[in-house]
Amino acid sequence: MASEKLAALALLLTLLGCVARSCQASYGSPYPLSAPTKSTRPAASALSYAYYYKTCKGAEKIVRDVVQAEIKRNRGIGAGLIRLFFHDCFVQGCDASVLLDKTQANEQTEKFGLPNIGSLRGFEVIDKIKTKLEAKCKGVVSCADIVAYAGRDATYFLSNKKVYFEMPAGRYDGRISSANETLFNLPPPFADVTVLEAMFAAKGLTLDEMVTLSGAHTVGISHCSSFGDRLPRNASDPMAMNSRFAKSVTRKCKSGSSTVDQDIYTPNALDNRYYKNVLNHEVLFTSDAALESSKTKYLVKQNLKPYVWEAKFKQAMRKMGGIGVKTRTNGEIRTNCRLIN
């Protein structure tokens, strides 16, 4: 509980500081604050490998085939699926609560939290997978497991099949989804290392795992508003973007484009280039630049070594997939991933 209180306090202080500085980004407007969710530390014991071998044989292949086809059409959707997995697990645990649409009974689900609204992608891919699985094995495969499998498979294809790992399953779908919980549980792009460490620790993840999972920012895009606090470049800030990168990003955002590639060098490949970008001051978010702090810089350098980051990323993704797992007693297997049964 101490780590959760620390995370909540650190984030609240950051949010207040951001308001004082008139920070932009998707977190920048007033929002009702709520208490952090209960402990969602990993509960991997509830999960097992080849979980659907007897009840829905071939379920993982169905997920993998759909993800592969979608990434062939648009590699950006792969980054969206990885991010969807992360945003699901950090709020209410890995229970597909992020997929729920608003209803008359609940008009503010996680999708409509400030960190998520308008920025999450991949919902239609999950729907497509669910439809195929329901046709094969009705009421068997949870939406939470689909999100986890899809994040794993997106990692595999975006890494050009270099990063593969088994993902245990057995998650049940949650029945609770609240936009209010997103701010307290999802690390903001303007967070410093202290805030990041506390928020990941509240989920049972280490400092090393925080730095490792941040490497997913080597793929995908970011809205220009999400790093508005970093522009124009502040030359006196030791973690500011380098001048060439800042000019390039500013030019792109002013050209009418509302988005920028997270990694300008290998934007469509999941690799360890992100860590070189951190050291070269060529990252977009304050939370990315913060990894150059004395507390984490050695981990950034470690992840630049061949095969080190890839191995650690597999383990961190698998561990993250065990956060706050629901069971038969407090969850369900949804028929429609967007609605509770």
Side-chain angles (χ1 to χ4, degrees), residues 322-333:
I323 295 174
V325 170
K326 304 295 188 297
T327 64
R328 187 187 299 272
T329 59
N330 62 349
E332 64 184 17
I333 305 297

Side-chain angles (χ1 to χ4, degrees), residues 212 272 299 302-313:
T212 297
N272 66 348
L299 293 170
Q302 187 180 91
N303 285 341
L304 277 170
K305 297 176 181 178
Y307 312 113
V308 170
W309 174 74
E310 289 83 354
K312 292 201 296 183
F313 191 72

Side-chain angles (χ1 to χ4, degrees), residues 21-302:
R21 296 193 304 274
S22 298
C23 288
Q24 297 177 21
S26 57
Y27 293 73
S29 57
Y31 199 81
L33 298 180
S34 63
T37 56
K38 294 179 181 179
S39 177
T40 50
R41 289 176 179 276
S45 59
L47 307 177
S48 60
Y49 296 101
Y51 182 81
Y52 295 106
Y53 182 77
K54 292 182 178 180
T55 56
C56 190
K57 191 173 182 179
E60 290 189 56
K61 185 178 186 303
I62 288 175
V63 178
R64 184 164 55 250
D65 288 347
V66 173
V67 170
Q68 182 178 25
E70 293 296 324
I71 288 178
K72 279 184 177 179
R73 278 192 283 270
N74 176 11
R75 287 185 73 84
I77 202 67
L81 290 170
I82 295 172
R83 188 165 182 258
L84 192 65
F85 180 40
F86 177 88
H87 280 230
D88 182 38
C89 291
F90 263 57
V91 183
Q92 284 287 332
C94 306
D95 65 349
S97 53
V98 73
L99 304 181
L100 291 172
D101 283 339
K102 61 182 178 181
T103 62
Q104 287 185 338
N106 183 6
E107 295 188 351
Q108 289 296 314
T109 58
E110 288 173 31
K111 278 184 182 179
F112 300 94
L114 285 176
N116 291 337
I117 189 167
S119 67
L120 287 184
R121 308 168 69 192
F123 297 111
E124 294 78 11
V125 179
I126 302 300
D127 290 340
K128 186 177 293 188
I129 295 168
K130 180 64 170 175
T131 298
K132 288 179 177 291
L133 288 170
E134 284 295 297
K136 179 179 174 63
C137 326
K138 188 173 180 61
V140 174
V141 182
S142 71
C143 300
D145 281 341
I146 293 173
V147 172
Y149 284 148
R152 183 270 308 270
D153 294 335
T155 298
Y156 176 63
F157 291 116
L158 289 182
S159 67
N160 294 317
K161 303 182 179 180
K162 294 178 181 177
V163 183
Y164 177 79
F165 53 97
E166 295 294 331
M167 175 64 77
R171 304 166 187 80
Y172 277 69
D173 300 321
R175 301 187 182 98
I176 299 171
S177 183
S178 172
N180 286 352
E181 294 184 356
T182 57
L183 274 177
F184 265 106
N185 290 283
L186 292 169
F190 48 81
D192 61 18
V193 166
T194 300
V195 171
L196 291 171
E197 183 180 16
M199 295 188 80
F200 275 73
K203 308 301 175 185
L205 298 169
T206 67
L207 182 69
D208 188 9
E209 288 162 341
M210 180 273 286
V211 175
T212 297
L213 289 168
S214 296
H217 283 177
T218 190
V219 289
I221 58 175
S222 171
H223 289 273
C224 293
S225 60
S226 294
F227 50 89
D229 59 317
R230 301 254 288 156
L231 295 173
R233 175 177 178 267
N234 180 2
S236 63
D237 181 358
M239 293 185 183
M241 299 178 188
N242 69 46
S243 58
R244 184 182 64 83
F245 182 65
K247 288 177 182 177
S248 173
V249 169
T250 301
R251 187 164 53 248
K252 182 75 181 291
C253 289
K254 286 185 176 180
S255 70
S257 173
S258 62
T259 60
V260 177
D261 287 328
Q262 295 260 47
D263 179 352
I264 61 174
Y265 297 101
T266 58
N268 294 315
L270 190 77
D271 54 26
N272 66 348
R273 173 73 207 203
Y274 166 82
Y275 298 100
K276 189 171 184 179
N277 294 344
V278 169
L279 297 177
N280 289 343
H281 294 211
E282 294 178 320
V283 287
L284 298 175
F285 301 149
T286 297
S287 57
D288 293 325
L291 300 189
E292 201 185 6
S293 74
S294 58
K295 198 169 191 178
T296 52
K297 191 171 184 177
Y298 78 99
L299 293 170
V300 171
K301 291 182 176 180
Q302 187 180 91

